[in-house]
Amino acid sequence: MSERSAAWAEYLGAAQRLDTVRREAADSAAGEASALAAARDELPTVQARLGMQATRLLDTASRAGVPSPVLQPGPAELLAAAEAVGGGPAVALAALRQAGANVEVADGALARLDDAGGGSQTLRNLLVYGPMALLALLVQLAVAGLAGDGAQVFFAAVSGLLLGPLAFGAAWLLVGVVYRDRPRTAAVGAFACIAPVLLAVALLAVL
């Protein structure tokens, strides 16, 4: 091989190696940019969920009568977080997603705590279901009272079948607003709202 051919082959090899490095650098930069964008998109969601979870933790501790947990990270936690995200956007994204998975686990644990305290929550929910049930019963009796003697049972039954489920639905929504992220005890609420109107129909039929 001539000296000129050898130089040309060496030049082509160097150019190919340079192009390979350029492509790998471009791919790496694109991957980091994609990971950074994904991390920026997911970070607000994780932060919001952590804020909600902190509120639930403090509320659960207050209801259980135990000292409130310390929710601010200490030096060890801050150091571990810095090390976790020190490998670039892709590593930071993986750490952020792991944090989201940890939030899921903690939410499940808090839900089990809420279920364990479901007895007292049922009583609190009845403070919402009860007045709605009473309102439905009063409206039902008023409608039946306006009907003639022979039609009272019919109107009481029709209005009761409408008002009972409506009262339950409205109370169920209100419980979700008043006691957010707590069990709504739907079975207890349905019985509290529907049983009185059915009982009123039975009593009117007997009388």
Side-chain angles (χ1 to χ4, degrees):
M1 179 183 293
S2 66
E3 184 178 347
R4 180 176 297 179
S5 297
W8 178 249
E10 184 179 353
Y11 168 77
L12 288 179
Q16 290 173 349
R17 289 193 296 272
L18 179 61
D19 185 65
T20 300
V21 171
R22 182 190 62 80
R23 289 176 183 275
E24 290 179 352
D27 291 342
S28 176
E32 290 188 354
S34 177
L36 182 60
R40 285 175 175 172
D41 289 340
E42 295 185 22
L43 181 59
T45 301
V46 175
Q47 287 177 324
R49 293 186 63 189
L50 285 172
M52 294 174 59
Q53 195 173 89
T55 301
R56 290 182 65 187
L57 278 169
L58 295 174
D59 184 61
T60 300
S62 176
R63 288 187 287 112
V66 299
S68 298
V70 178
L71 300 179
Q72 295 299 323
E77 288 82 5
L78 291 174
L79 178 61
E83 292 176 351
V85 299
V91 177
L93 178 60
L96 184 61
R97 287 175 174 170
Q98 181 60 47
N102 292 340
V103 171
E104 291 283 354
V105 174
D107 280 341
L110 286 174
R112 288 192 294 273
L113 284 176
D114 286 339
D115 291 340
S120 58
Q121 185 60 38
T122 298
L123 295 178
R124 285 192 287 267
N125 291 348
L126 284 175
L127 295 177
V128 180
Y129 289 120
M132 285 292 186
L134 179 60
L135 178 62
L137 179 62
L138 292 176
V139 173
Q140 178 195 29
L141 294 177
V143 170
L146 293 175
D149 290 339
Q152 286 183 343
V153 175
F154 173 77
F155 279 96
V158 173
S159 60
L161 290 175
L162 293 174
L163 292 170
L166 284 176
F168 166 67
W172 186 84
L173 292 174
L174 187 57
V175 166
V177 174
V178 176
Y179 303 114
R180 187 172 297 177
D181 297 326
R182 305 283 183 82
R184 301 194 190 190
T185 56
V188 174
F191 179 80
C193 293
I194 297 174
V197 295
L198 295 179
L199 182 60
V201 174
L203 289 176
L204 287 174
V206 171
L207 295 176

